[in-house]
Amino acid sequence: MPKMKSHRGAAKRFKKTGTGKIKRAKAYASHLLGGKSPKRKRKLRQAGLVSEQENKNISKLIPY
């Protein structure tokens, strides 16, 4: 059986952690930042985790 290919768009957006969870970047941090508080912008820099409901679908896109 040939190797599975990773979905290249998903591979650039998501990373698997050591425990198998999937890390993602947070939204709303790219523009219109003047109206957001410094605390809110700081929180947006930290990585988030994909929800349990989406975990299965994204795992299929990034098998490795």
Side-chain angles (χ1 to χ4, degrees), residues 18-37:
T19 56
K21 294 177 183 172
I22 299 175
K23 237 173 31 164
R24 64 169 177 84
K26 291 186 181 167
Y28 306 107
S30 59
H31 65 128
L32 298 174
L33 297 173
K36 295 169 187 154
S37 70

Side-chain angles (χ1 to χ4, degrees), residues 4-17 20-24 50 54-64:
M4 290 177 65
K5 288 191 174 183
S6 295
H7 186 289
R8 298 317 295 161
K12 292 167 188 175
R13 289 170 171 81
F14 304 104
K15 295 282 176 266
K16 281 193 174 173
T17 64
K21 294 177 183 172
I22 299 175
K23 237 173 31 164
R24 64 169 177 84
V50 169
E54 295 289 344
N55 230 349
K56 186 179 170 187
N57 291 331
I58 295 170
S59 291
K60 288 178 188 172
L61 298 176
I62 48 170
Y64 307 110

